[in-house]
Amino acid sequence: MTHLPVLPILIPALAGFALLLLQRASLPLQRGVSLIAAVLGLVVAVWAVTSAVETGPLVYELGSWPAPFGIVLVLDQLSALMVLLTAILSVTALTAASLRGDAAGRVFHALFQFQLMGIQGAFLTGDIFNLFVFFEILLIASYGLLLHGQGAPRMRAGIKYVVVNLTGSALFLVAVALLYGATGTLNMADIALALENLDPADRGLVQASALLFLVVFGTKAALLPVMFWLPDAYSAAPAPVASLFAIMTKIGVYAILRVYTLCFAPLGDDAGAFIAPWLLGAALLTLAVGMIGVLASRRLRQLVAYMTIASVGTMLIPVAMFTQQGVAAALYYLVHSTLTVAALFLLAEPISRGRHGSDDHLEPGPALASGNTLGLWFMALAVAAAGVPPLSGFLGKAMILRESAGHDMAAWIWAVILVTSLLAVVSFSRAGSVLFWKVDQNTAPGARVTGSELAPVATLGGLIVALTVFAAPVQDYTRSTAAALIAPQSYIDAVVDYGVEGRADAIHQSETPTGH
Amino acid sequence: MEFLIATGIGAMTAAGIYLMLRRRTFPVILGLSLLSYAVNLFLVSSGRIAINQPPVIQAGVSEYTDPLPQALVLTAIVIGFAMTAFVLVLAVKARTETGSDDVDGGA
């Protein structure tokens, strides 16, 4: 048994504990340990992607207890993709934090590593209660990171963020309890098998559980109407933290994809069919409201935060079709939007610092000393985010439009996506012209931005270009990932094996009188 | 017994949600605690209500209670306890920083 699936969790866990011991050590030492762990994580993530492609789903039995009795980690193509994306963001966010911003509190690096551990664990686990536990790990680390450096606006945003997420956790437990009560198992692949022979009397309970999961994961993903916690929290967070948080909404998207294509697939004729109308409606409204928020934003960070909400709406529209092509397009857009939003949050920091008093308010302020460099980066990222040719945002949106052409709601989908793209172009042009051109000549320009400070933004920018140039291989990967999601038999076979007699007989033979 | 547990869960959920919708942080935290008690009870009852029965296989016993929800609820209690402690500290800190115990941090 290869230990690969547990490594993305173990590396940040060990680094996190080491950093707790080192919290009184010098900052360069902490940065070194943290960065080495992040780079190691990136190497492992690349390895994970290649082995997931070559060998199919890899199952890791923790404590060597076979599923469904023990907790398993499952590394399939979807998990590997998400793990790689997280690893990339962790390296760029840590570099940005090491250049500026990690000195405000002693435990920044330890919290950062625990946050990574929670995120990677959530992507890798094959057990639904374990998913809850990893959610809690990443949330409690994110509370610490969000409040890092303190100050009244962060406290204000923090209270709401924590209360909303605690409520979400309570609903998560209710959903898990309903599902366990009906199926008697927590392993996601085993739940799928149990639901195939579901007692019709329990069907209502399971559907209630499925809809509750949509509320829970919708809260994480920032779907309308449970997305109002996000703009304050993300715009108050320090830049490197906000840039790592770009992956946090995608954990909700990942969980929606995983749970409805795997666990609840036996409920409908198609994967997720009974959840699809709810999800599609919520996604369309999220995109529309998110983009109105972008248009109405009066600060740059707020604008990027609303852009995060809009992008979640965009990628959940094709997810709600639950077809192979739709999910493949959604995954491509997911990679693109995560990189873009992360880069925009990192870029907002030097812009607001260069405008001293005006900060990132979208109003005329002092000239930026490095205005041309920053302006060009802003323009490039705005092009990517708005979905204008030639960058990957355009390709992603084109794929989504093409895959939705045959859908019943195609007219609505096309109208919402195209109109919101126009709104994005308007908002970004207005923000850019105010920030870089409407200069108040009476004030002295701010500090220059050095090239090294922009290195993390440049790295993410390079990846966006690579995502555009190598769109075909990436699309091949997302297509085979989507195929495995829509027909999850290979995943289920890899995790649980009841032999030829099937689950019902195997359970019957080994039945202990537990009252089920 | 079922009636008692079901009403208990319902009453605590209702009170919890009412308190969570209040404006000041302290009632909100009380509401969160009540909601998490309700959820914990619900989680235990997902293994069916079996009274005075052993969770581990023993000789000569034919009726058992399901041990898994008990393990789950233990995890949920620990996490809920840590989160409540954290949100209390956060509320006190926010009170001193913003000068208000309003959840919106206003005057």
Side-chain angles (χ1 to χ4, degrees):
Chain A
M1 185 164 72
T2 165
H3 291 281
L4 172 62
V6 80
L7 287 181
I9 305 172
L10 267 189
I11 293 170
L14 294 176
F17 287 121
L19 284 163
L20 276 184
L21 296 175
L22 290 173
Q23 59 173 293
R24 287 182 194 280
S26 70
L27 208 48
L29 178 66
Q30 292 191 31
R31 284 173 187 158
V33 173
S34 203
L35 270 172
I36 288 170
V39 171
L40 258 179
L42 183 59
V43 174
V44 168
V46 173
W47 181 23
V49 168
T50 52
S51 17
V53 172
E54 279 166 18
T55 60
L58 274 172
V59 178
Y60 187 81
E61 295 166 347
L62 293 165
S64 286
W65 284 89
F69 303 107
I71 292 172
V72 289
L73 301 178
V74 187
L75 177 73
D76 69 340
Q77 284 199 26
L78 177 63
S79 302
L81 176 71
M82 302 305 288
V83 165
L84 178 63
L85 202 54
T86 312
I88 291 170
L89 286 194
S90 75
V91 173
T92 52
L94 261 183
T95 319
S98 302
L99 291 166
R100 180 175 290 274
D102 62 347
R106 273 208 307 275
V107 287
F108 176 85
H109 288 285
L111 282 173
F112 193 94
Q113 294 294 337
F114 286 126
Q115 163 105 58
L116 278 184
M117 171 193 162
I119 298 176
Q120 305 288 39
F123 288 146
L124 285 167
T125 186
D127 182 284
I128 200 133
F129 191 78
N130 202 225
L131 182 66
F132 166 77
V133 174
F134 276 119
F135 266 27
E136 293 304 306
I137 294 175
L138 74 90
L139 284 175
I140 203 155
S142 78
Y143 303 152
L145 284 175
L146 172 65
L147 300 167
H148 182 79
Q150 305 186 350
R154 277 179 199 164
M155 288 296 156
R156 223 171 282 149
I159 287 268
K160 273 178 273 183
Y161 177 69
V162 173
V163 170
V164 166
N165 277 301
L166 286 182
T167 318
S169 304
L171 291 179
F172 197 148
L173 282 177
V174 173
V176 167
L178 280 172
L179 197 53
Y180 179 77
T183 63
T185 179
L186 291 168
N187 182 294
M188 291 200 263
D190 201 37
I191 289 172
L193 293 179
L195 289 184
E196 278 171 12
N197 300 310
L198 181 67
D199 182 355
D202 284 343
R203 198 179 158 85
L205 282 181
V206 174
Q207 283 187 336
S209 156
L211 287 166
L212 264 178
F213 274 119
L214 187 64
V215 176
V216 174
F217 298 145
T219 313
K220 312 285 171 202
L223 259 185
L224 200 84
V226 277
M227 54 61 161
F228 293 100
W229 57 271
L230 187 141
D232 278 354
Y234 277 35
S235 51
V241 174
S243 123
L244 181 68
F245 279 9
I247 196 82
M248 296 262 281
T249 48
K250 279 66 181 183
I251 297 169
V253 177
Y254 163 84
I256 287 173
L257 267 176
R258 176 67 82 212
V259 166
Y260 295 113
T261 58
L262 178 62
C263 304
F264 293 115
L267 280 188
D269 301 320
D270 294 316
F274 83 103
I275 216 85
W278 297 95
L279 188 58
L280 183 62
L284 284 170
L285 284 173
T286 307
L287 172 55
V289 171
M291 205 53 89
I292 292 170
V294 170
L295 196 63
S297 293
R298 301 174 73 172
R299 305 187 62 157
L300 180 57
R301 287 195 191 93
Q302 201 184 13
L303 185 148
V304 183
Y306 275 108
M307 196 65 217
T308 315
I309 295 176
S311 73
V312 166
T314 313
M315 77 184 72
L316 281 175
I317 290 171
V319 167
M321 292 175 223
F322 288 104
T323 58
Q324 189 202 337
Q325 285 78 13
V327 173
L331 288 175
Y332 183 88
Y333 194 79
L334 185 151
V335 176
H336 149 80
S337 80
T338 309
L339 295 174
T340 313
V341 167
L344 275 169
F345 271 122
L346 287 181
L347 187 68
E349 204 272 334
I351 292 177
S352 57
R353 188 155 35 87
R355 285 160 49 88
H356 12 210
S358 300
D359 198 5
D360 65 341
H361 289 278
L362 296 178
E363 60 191 25
L368 281 157
S370 315
N372 288 344
T373 324
L374 290 173
L376 279 174
W377 275 113
F378 182 82
M379 194 187 80
L381 291 176
V383 163
V388 179
L391 290 174
S392 52
F394 170 70
L395 293 179
K397 279 191 179 167
M399 286 178 205
I400 293 173
L401 289 178
R402 190 184 61 193
E403 305 312 345
S404 60
H407 195 273
D408 297 341
M409 299 268 287
W412 282 100
I413 295 171
W414 277 57
V416 172
I417 291 184
L418 292 175
V419 170
T420 52
S421 300
L422 177 67
L423 290 184
V425 174
V426 171
S427 318
F428 274 105
S429 336
R430 202 182 55 179
S433 55
V434 169
L435 285 173
F436 298 103
W437 289 339
K438 281 201 181 158
V439 172
D440 182 357
Q441 299 293 355
N442 298 325
T443 47
R448 294 197 77 81
V449 179
T450 56
S452 67
E453 276 186 73
L454 283 177
V457 180
T459 312
L460 290 172
L463 285 170
I464 293 169
V465 172
L467 187 65
T468 316
V469 175
F470 299 105
V474 175
Q475 207 186 7
D476 288 343
Y477 184 89
T478 59
R479 278 199 179 139
S480 62
T481 308
L485 282 174
I486 295 301
Q489 201 55 45
S490 65
Y491 181 102
I492 294 174
D493 289 342
V495 177
V496 276
D497 182 14
Y498 287 108
V500 284
E501 72 263 42
R503 185 177 193 273
D505 291 339
I507 297 275
H508 186 68
Q509 278 170 19
S510 63
E511 181 142 323
T512 48
T514 56
H516 282 294
Chain B
M1 191 66 191
E2 278 88 353
F3 178 76
L4 195 63
I5 290 193
T7 344
I9 295 173
M12 278 200 286
T13 311
I17 290 175
Y18 174 76
L19 285 173
M20 274 171 51
L21 297 174
R22 308 298 293 173
R23 203 177 165 152
R24 296 179 178 274
T25 47
F26 188 64
V28 170
I29 295 169
L30 282 185
L32 275 175
S33 311
L34 277 179
L35 186 65
S36 76
Y37 296 153
V39 167
N40 289 346
L41 258 185
F42 187 73
L43 203 52
V44 173
S45 55
S46 76
R48 307 299 187 270
I49 299 160
I51 298 159
N52 268 343
Q53 282 160 2
V56 184
I57 294 178
Q58 292 173 8
V61 179
S62 63
E63 291 290 317
Y64 293 93
T65 183
D66 191 343
L68 194 68
Q70 305 183 11
L72 300 186
V73 85
L74 210 57
T75 316
I77 289 172
V78 172
I79 292 176
F81 170 72
M83 292 296 184
T84 310
F86 178 80
V87 77
L88 268 174
V89 174
L90 182 63
V92 172
K93 183 86 186 155
R95 169 76 180 76
T96 50
E97 290 239 359
T98 61
S100 150
D101 64 349
D102 196 291
V103 282
D104 278 325

